[in-house]
Amino acid sequence: MARLKKMAQPDAGDLRSHVHFCAETGHIWLHEHRMLLVHADAQASLRKELIDTLGLARARGLLTRMGYASGVRDAELARSRTACKSDLEAFMTGPQLHTLEGIVLVTPIKLEVDRARGRFYGEFLWENSWEGQTHRRDFGIHHEPVCWTQIGYACGYTSAFMGRPILYKETECSGAGDSHCMIVGKPVEEWNDAEADMRYFKSESIANQLLDLQAQVAELRSTIGEKERLPGDMVGDSPGFRLAYELLKKAAGTHITVLLLGETGVGKEMFARRLHEMGPRASEPLVAVNCAAIPQELVESELFGVEKGAYTGAQASRPGRFERAHGGTLFLDEVGDLPLAAQAKLLRVLQDGEVERLGDHRTRKVNVRLVAATNRNLQELVAQGKFRSDLYYRLNAYQIHIPPLRERPEDTRLLFKRLVEKYSVIHGKKIAGITDKAKKALLAYSWPGNIRELQNTVERGVILAPHGGRMEIEHLFTSWDGGKAGEIGIDRYGSLDVRGSDEGDAVCEAVLSGAMTLDQVEARLIETAVSRARGNLSSAARMLGLTRAQLAYRLKRLQAEAQGRSAAVHEAASA
């Protein structure tokens, strides 16, 4: 076995004799391989464009595989020199070539080579790394090693030389802020965490992904001008959501009091914040209060403020939420839970624009836009004597109803995509997609907790799903084989069961009895989706889980079949 510690850089003079320049043919040869002399800046520009275009992960894989192929070619030259040299001397051809080619200055620190037994271990110092310096110049200091092409070269060269897979890792990197680079190489099976690095050596076809992106771009182009981009997590394309958002936009430029109605978790606070951001008070504070979360004995002091000594424990004067929101917007969530005494004071503030702190007789002027929200029926509370009728009419000046998620199933898909992107960034996970069974369950579930429940479900799914893998039904619904399975309609094998609903029974019975054909069911579904989407094919396609092109094809086929039947009826009548 050849063993070397703290080697000096061997003489590469004999390798230079293998480099030939042919002016007549324009060829550069290294041994029997044609080479290219390229500008470092041009190569750096290409590398940067790959990263900008493909992203770090895909660019890393492509550059690693490119370096691997180069290393394999250089290993052929090393194998041709083994007749007259030891394993160690023959192996050093690769590091010498890496230096000769201007990539990096390689100095071996520790090297053990035994090809007969398949044993290898190497530690090398890299100085003046072209790739590390280039990455640092173009992108700044990176959080992990970036000499991907060089690592690929080392892996390809050593694997070809040894006749078995050898994996190198950078332990220090100039692109990550170190003064130089250090690498360690040994057989793949001797690494405990080789899988994460080995995936970059597997070629990845992005043709299908490009086709999908092409289809998405075409779909987006078809809808440009139809609707504006919604901010943040405000995602929706259903008629109910669009109606609510249009009402919100019309109220934004005014100072009218807005009452947001909807079930718990539908996004009332998000609507209130958007209303504030779009209005003339956007530069002033938005103060949000959950009336149901404040103990009744503290509601008045929280809303209107308190003077020192007003009650036991009031050791200092402090302003209430109205004063803090002066000039801006006050959002009262769950306003239906306000006690009657606080309701009376709230009405006075709204009528007079003045607030009086507890324990004080002096009034203070406040200029506040009020946005209230509740999931309770205020009219019923008025009838029960639990809510003041005069306050109700004051708050109900401009009403916006936000529909629950079960009434806007087409928005569930959009929200899911946005939330996966959000939580993938938060938790540092890459999610490849979602399985068909999980997608069906996602769309079939009624979401009683609305968007808040969907948020929690997606975040749990992102955490549980494997990095780079797909989200499965067990990741989203951890108890899917129990309580939720019955509601979603999923059997123990993960198949949707339409028998769980009366509507499903009726459809099955109609088809099985011959009252309807499958084609008629499909036609009815498509017609209903297009009607519900008000003729917007993109929205209708999302409801049906199709692309716009697929829906257009089915519509064209149905129209052709209808014309054919009409022609046949006409011909029969003529006969």
Side-chain angles (χ1 to χ4, degrees):
M1 177 179 71
R3 181 181 179 92
L4 178 63
K5 291 185 178 180
K6 296 184 179 179
M7 293 180 54
Q9 175 66 36
D11 181 17
D14 60 335
L15 284 176
R16 296 191 186 99
S17 64
H18 290 274
V19 181
H20 302 284
F21 295 84
C22 183
E24 291 79 8
T25 61
H27 290 159
I28 303 175
W29 296 97
L30 174 60
H31 195 49
E32 296 180 357
H33 299 288
R34 183 175 178 178
M35 305 292 287
L36 300 176
L37 184 64
V38 298
H39 287 281
D41 283 344
Q43 192 79 352
S45 297
L46 175 61
R47 185 182 187 277
K48 183 177 185 301
E49 187 170 346
L50 285 174
I51 293 174
D52 291 339
T53 305
L54 302 179
L56 280 172
R58 287 199 178 94
R60 176 178 177 178
L62 185 60
L63 292 168
T64 300
R65 293 190 295 275
M66 184 173 71
Y68 188 95
S70 179
V72 170
R73 296 295 182 275
D74 281 357
E76 294 180 14
L77 176 58
R79 285 197 297 267
S80 70
R81 309 177 76 204
T82 57
C84 57
K85 294 183 179 290
S86 67
D87 281 353
L88 188 146
E89 291 175 313
F91 175 83
M92 285 305 300
T93 302
Q96 292 175 47
L97 285 173
H98 223 184
T99 300
L100 182 62
E101 292 163 0
I103 304 298
V104 63
L105 175 61
V106 185
T107 302
I109 302 300
K110 182 178 180 180
L111 183 58
E112 300 175 10
V113 183
D114 190 340
R115 287 202 295 177
R117 298 182 181 179
R119 296 184 61 181
F120 179 86
Y121 180 85
E123 295 180 9
F124 297 87
L125 168 67
W126 278 352
E127 297 175 280
N128 302 321
S129 166
W130 166 83
E131 197 166 15
Q133 293 172 353
T134 295
H135 191 99
R136 188 166 178 172
R137 181 194 68 192
D138 292 339
F139 300 100
I141 295 176
H142 202 61
H143 63 277
E144 60 182 17
V146 296
C147 298
W148 306 321
T149 309
Q150 297 168 198
I151 281 290
Y153 176 94
C155 294
Y157 175 83
T158 309
S159 297
F161 183 87
M162 294 297 298
R164 63 178 303 188
I166 304 295
L167 175 64
Y168 282 86
K169 292 189 178 187
E170 272 190 280
T171 57
E172 298 179 51
C173 180
S174 59
D178 297 314
S179 58
H180 54 261
C181 303
M182 287 288 295
I183 65 169
V184 175
K186 55 185 177 181
V188 172
E189 61 272 16
E190 294 182 17
W191 291 100
N192 294 326
D193 54 350
E195 186 177 349
D197 293 271
M198 291 304 293
R199 63 192 176 97
Y200 294 110
F201 294 93
K202 298 177 182 178
S203 59
E204 179 184 21
S205 174
I206 60 173
N208 291 335
Q209 296 175 34
L210 290 175
L211 290 173
D212 289 342
L213 288 172
Q214 214 171 25
Q216 292 175 30
V217 169
E219 184 177 341
L220 287 172
R221 283 176 175 167
S222 69
T223 58
I224 286 178
E226 294 180 11
K227 46 198 172 222
E228 63 180 296
R229 172 74 173 176
L230 296 173
D233 289 339
M234 288 194 73
V235 177
D237 194 33
S238 63
F241 176 85
R242 282 286 161 189
L243 175 61
Y245 192 71
E246 286 299 319
L247 289 172
L248 191 77
K249 288 199 299 183
K250 291 177 181 178
T254 71
H255 299 281
I256 191 169
T257 299
V258 174
L259 178 61
L260 300 173
L261 301 176
E263 296 178 4
T264 298
V266 294
K268 296 187 288 293
E269 183 170 352
M270 194 179 299
F271 266 71
R273 291 188 181 280
R274 184 57 182 157
L275 179 70
H276 175 74
E277 291 167 359
M278 291 191 297
R281 300 171 182 259
S283 60
E284 300 298 329
L286 166 66
V287 177
V289 184
N290 187 333
C291 300
I294 305 174
Q296 288 198 6
E297 60 272 14
L298 298 179
V299 168
E300 293 184 42
S301 62
E302 284 296 317
L303 291 179
F304 312 116
V306 63
E307 283 296 302
K308 181 179 179 181
Y311 55 81
T312 303
Q315 299 178 356
S317 300
R318 57 184 175 85
R321 304 297 177 94
F322 269 95
E323 289 182 66
R324 295 179 198 173
H326 179 69
T329 302
L330 178 66
F331 173 53
L332 294 181
D333 197 8
E334 306 301 349
V335 70
D337 291 310
L338 276 178
L340 288 171
Q343 292 178 29
K345 286 196 172 184
L346 175 59
L347 180 63
R348 178 184 174 185
V349 174
L350 295 179
Q351 290 174 339
D352 303 335
E354 296 178 343
V355 65
E356 183 178 311
R357 295 180 182 179
L358 282 178
D360 194 9
H361 300 290
R362 182 167 61 94
T363 59
R364 294 173 171 81
K365 286 286 185 181
V366 289
N367 176 16
V368 171
R369 179 182 192 166
L370 185 68
V371 180
T374 182
N375 63 351
R376 305 179 69 180
N377 189 321
L378 293 184
Q379 287 182 310
E380 289 184 2
L381 294 179
V382 170
Q384 296 168 8
K386 296 179 180 179
F387 201 86
R388 296 178 61 103
S389 59
D390 46 5
L391 177 59
Y392 169 68
Y393 295 122
R394 187 81 185 186
L395 295 177
N396 199 34
Y398 193 94
Q399 186 181 112
I400 299 177
H401 175 73
I402 307 171
L405 200 53
R406 64 178 175 276
E407 294 180 8
R408 36 188 283 222
E410 58 267 53
D411 293 343
T412 302
R413 191 190 308 270
L414 300 176
L415 281 163
F416 176 78
K417 290 182 179 178
R418 180 70 65 84
L419 292 171
V420 168
E421 294 173 359
K422 172 183 175 180
Y423 291 119
S424 294
V425 172
I426 291 174
H427 297 290
K429 296 284 287 289
K430 177 183 177 183
I431 304 299
I434 181 173
T435 64
D436 290 339
K437 290 177 183 177
K439 186 184 297 182
K440 288 179 181 179
L442 192 79
L443 298 176
Y445 186 49
S446 61
W447 300 108
N450 292 295
I451 297 175
R452 185 176 296 121
E453 184 182 10
L454 178 62
Q455 287 175 329
N456 295 336
T457 300
V458 173
E459 184 171 18
R460 180 175 59 242
V462 169
I463 293 172
L464 295 179
H467 183 75
R470 291 182 177 273
M471 203 176 293
E472 299 182 6
I473 190 169
E474 295 88 347
H475 302 143
L476 292 170
F477 302 104
T478 54
S479 57
W480 71 277
D481 58 342
K484 288 186 177 179
E487 182 177 351
I488 301 171
I490 302 174
D491 64 22
R492 61 190 294 266
Y493 300 105
S495 302
L496 278 179
D497 184 4
V498 298
R499 295 174 298 174
S501 64
D502 294 338
E503 294 84 355
D505 288 341
V507 172
C508 290
E509 183 61 31
V511 174
L512 295 175
S513 65
M516 292 181 71
T517 66
L518 287 174
D519 288 341
Q520 289 173 327
V521 173
E522 180 188 24
R524 183 69 178 273
L525 277 172
I526 290 176
E527 290 171 2
T528 303
V530 173
S531 174
R532 185 173 295 182
R534 301 179 182 179
N536 186 319
L537 293 188
S538 298
S539 179
R542 283 192 288 272
M543 292 183 199
L544 296 169
L546 302 172
T547 65
R548 191 179 188 279
Q550 289 172 330
L551 177 59
Y553 170 79
R554 282 169 166 76
L555 281 172
K556 187 176 181 181
R557 189 194 67 195
L558 292 173
Q559 291 169 356
E561 290 174 353
Q563 291 173 357
R565 287 193 297 268
S566 177
V569 171
H570 179 73
E571 184 178 346
S574 300

